[in-house]
Amino acid sequence: MRCPLIYRTVVLFVAALCLAAVVCVNSEEARFDPAAGADQSEVVLLRKGADQGNVEAQVRLGFSHLSGEGVPQRLTAEVEWYRAAADQGYAQAQNNLGFMYERGKGVAQSLTTAVEWYRKAADQGHAQAQYNLGGMYVLWRRRFAEPAGGGGV
């Protein structure tokens, strides 16, 4: 007896889903875990990828400079790697760079520059950047738009 076409289609679909799940699990295992720290060999690999323009490696290497895992803790290096990835349009790096400017970490504090980087990331749909951008607008409204006496109209 031949299998109906719908049965074969369902079996192929389920098989494809299983294969996709295996691929996703394997790729998640290979992701960098900042909390786990980075040993020297990981940093060497990150540096090689970052030097070749890999945006994820650049962001991870920047984070390593923040945490001091495997490299000296140096905020200016963190900013340099975030900027390298941000200049390539990587939203996570743009958000991170906005944060560095907002807080004045590794760079001179500039709320205007922070908003510019947050906006670039937010325009790409980066949720954290959208939240950060909204927070900046609330901060500016409180700081600059309200009358000096604090009372409203």
Side-chain angles (χ1 to χ4, degrees):
M1 177 172 179
R2 292 187 65 196
C3 296
L5 180 61
I6 188 74
Y7 176 76
R8 283 185 280 167
T9 304
V10 168
V11 168
L12 287 174
F13 180 73
V14 170
L17 282 176
C18 290
L19 180 61
V22 168
V23 169
C24 286
V25 167
N26 288 339
S27 68
E28 286 298 318
E29 289 172 357
R31 288 186 181 260
F32 177 76
D33 182 8
D39 64 25
Q40 198 60 39
S41 62
E42 289 176 88
V43 171
V44 169
L45 290 174
L46 284 176
R47 178 63 190 243
K48 185 175 182 178
D51 287 340
Q52 293 174 352
N54 182 297
V55 292
E56 288 190 14
Q58 290 168 338
V59 169
R60 292 173 184 171
L61 192 56
F63 184 82
S64 293
H65 280 285
L66 169 68
S67 64
E69 295 291 334
V71 293
Q73 188 174 16
R74 216 179 60 167
L75 295 179
T76 55
E78 179 186 12
V79 169
E80 291 168 13
W81 286 115
Y82 287 161
R83 185 180 310 283
D87 286 342
Q88 294 180 67
Y90 192 55
Q92 179 64 49
Q94 292 169 337
N95 180 64
N96 292 0
L97 197 53
F99 179 81
M100 300 301 279
Y101 274 101
E102 179 183 353
R103 304 296 173 150
K105 298 204 176 275
V107 293
Q109 185 179 29
S110 170
L111 299 181
T112 303
T113 305
V115 166
E116 290 171 6
W117 285 112
Y118 284 149
R119 180 180 302 286
K120 287 180 182 185
D123 287 347
Q124 294 182 61
H126 191 278
Q128 183 65 46
Q130 292 168 345
Y131 176 84
N132 292 339
L133 186 61
M136 295 296 290
Y137 285 132
V138 168
L139 173 71
W140 279 4
R141 179 169 183 194
R142 285 186 185 152
R143 188 177 285 175
F144 301 113
E146 292 180 357
V153 206

